[in-house]
Amino acid sequence: MARHPILLDCDPGQDDAVAILLALAAEDALETIALTTVAGNVPLDRTTDNALRLVELAGAEVPVHAGADRPLLRPLVTAEQVHGPTGIDGADLPPTGRRPAPGHAACALVDAIRSRPPASVTLVATGPLTNLALAFRLAPDLPGRLRRVAIMGGAIGLGNVTPAAEFNFHVDPHAARIVFESGADIVLFPLDVTHQVRVTEERLARIRAVGNPAARAVAGMLAFYRGRNPEGGPPQAPLHDPCPVAWLLEPQLFRGRRAEVTIETDSPLGLGRSYVDFRSADPNALVMEQADAEGLFALLCARLARL
Ligand code: BDR
Ligand code: CA
């Protein structure tokens, strides 16, 4: 069976790191054309270096293009309080001799998507959408050329940075707005679904038991990350970013409905809010509402064992 070509735009971030490793561990099913990095959880130099270290860990030959070092209009807000100063604290990965590939991430996205047949490439986004917005402005044909855009971001209900907004959309609301107004075929994994995918002690033990270096790094990162549960309460942080990659591999793990998603860019209190209207006659996204968390962790363990 032909492999599904993907581009993964990310801001690693422990949960982005797990998404990257899941994609690279599934090279029989997914052809990861490139990773593109954006400033988000930590500044751009760190997200890029983290992506390079993760590609090295997976033993993959996938280019990493660095992209936007700040949101389109707003100052950058990072999340070291959740992810630690490196963004992937707990992974304990050595420095790598690998260097970023030449060319800005937005240009790399344009070139990669235009070089493939129409409707073949899926763009997965697990950070602020700055690179996607830049690419869509550079190449207005891009949204229509993509097979899909699978995005972790937003919330149907409450946000996780403000009561209104989720981190990725809050960091660059203007970019998110451009993407949701682009006409691309979007599949959205909002907080409401990623909060069903919790890193429990038992799930962590199963990952640790896989026993290879990639699984050890994932277990180390998730042990760090679950203790920093941004919602407060017990150490069971939600594993957001692997959701869209898991969906590409096993779509039956998720259920959702079509809705019209609009991004707030005007109200100071609501900045980055995603308004999800399931009653709209003009839907622009499939919005996921339910996840099979056990199935996702089983998939993750099975795939990590291959690295
Ligand atoms: C999103 O924000 C980041 O902290 C995570 O990596 C994830 O992409 C969750 O709101
Ligand atoms: Ca992320």
Side-chain angles (χ1 to χ4, degrees):
M1 206 175 67
R3 296 189 302 158
H4 183 158
I6 68 164
L7 292 152
L8 178 45
D9 188 78
C10 54
D11 64 335
Q14 287 91 352
D15 59 331
D16 302 79
V18 179
I20 292 169
L21 292 172
L22 181 58
L24 297 180
E27 58 172 9
D28 55 318
L30 300 178
E31 176 198 2
T32 304
I33 303 169
L35 303 181
T36 53
T37 55
V38 64
N41 286 322
V42 284
L44 181 70
D45 55 347
R46 288 206 183 275
T47 59
T48 305
D49 184 59
N50 292 344
L52 290 163
R53 291 184 194 214
L54 289 156
V55 171
E56 172 87 24
L57 174 67
E61 291 307 325
V62 172
V64 175
H65 297 268
D69 69 354
R70 69 197 68 182
L72 294 181
L73 298 181
R74 289 178 52 74
L76 176 64
V77 177
T78 53
E80 283 88 352
Q81 74 281 9
V82 176
H83 300 275
T86 70
I88 55 169
D89 280 42
D92 206 16
L93 298 180
T96 167
R98 296 182 188 227
R99 293 285 166 262
H104 191 283
C107 301
L109 293 176
V110 174
D111 291 346
I113 294 160
R114 281 188 173 161
S115 72
R116 301 296 179 114
S120 60
V121 177
T122 292
L123 179 47
V124 181
T126 62
L129 296 175
T130 322
N131 289 334
L132 275 69
L134 289 170
F136 287 6
R137 284 293 193 249
L138 277 172
D141 59 309
L142 229 56
R145 279 194 73 94
L146 282 160
R147 178 162 166 180
R148 276 197 199 95
V149 186
I151 297 171
M152 189 283 128
I156 302 166
L158 294 174
N160 61 355
V161 178
T162 69
E166 176 278 336
F167 180 80
N168 290 336
F169 290 4
H170 187 255
V171 171
D172 198 341
H174 303 92
R177 183 164 183 166
I178 288 171
V179 171
F180 279 88
E181 290 180 354
S182 71
D185 187 354
I186 295 173
V187 184
L188 183 65
F189 297 80
L191 292 179
D192 314 77
V193 74
T194 65
H195 279 191
Q196 296 167 31
V197 183
R198 296 277 172 180
V199 185
T200 64
E201 184 54 54
E202 190 270 329
R203 289 169 179 165
L204 190 56
R206 263 191 276 154
I207 293 171
R208 206 176 280 120
V210 172
N212 61 18
R216 276 199 295 277
V218 169
M221 284 190 284
L222 295 187
F224 177 90
Y225 172 76
R226 73 189 282 270
R228 303 256 181 136
N229 185 354
E231 282 74 38
Q236 294 194 354
L239 193 52
H240 309 281
D241 290 342
C243 288
V245 177
W247 171 73
L248 289 172
L249 294 168
E250 294 193 7
Q252 79 284 0
L253 294 177
F254 297 91
R255 296 239 302 272
R257 286 179 291 158
R258 292 192 62 73
E260 184 176 7
V261 180
T262 314
I263 309 298
E264 177 67 74
T265 54
D266 297 327
S267 147
L269 269 180
L271 205 61
R273 169 97 194 127
S274 45
Y275 300 105
V276 180
D277 183 359
F278 286 109
R279 294 163 307 176
S280 169
D282 197 15
N284 60 355
L286 170 62
V287 179
M288 293 304 184
E289 297 176 280
Q290 285 177 37
D292 171 357
E294 272 306 302
L296 188 146
F297 279 94
L299 169 69
L300 180 60
C301 287
R303 286 294 175 174
L304 286 176
R306 299 186 183 196
L307 284 176

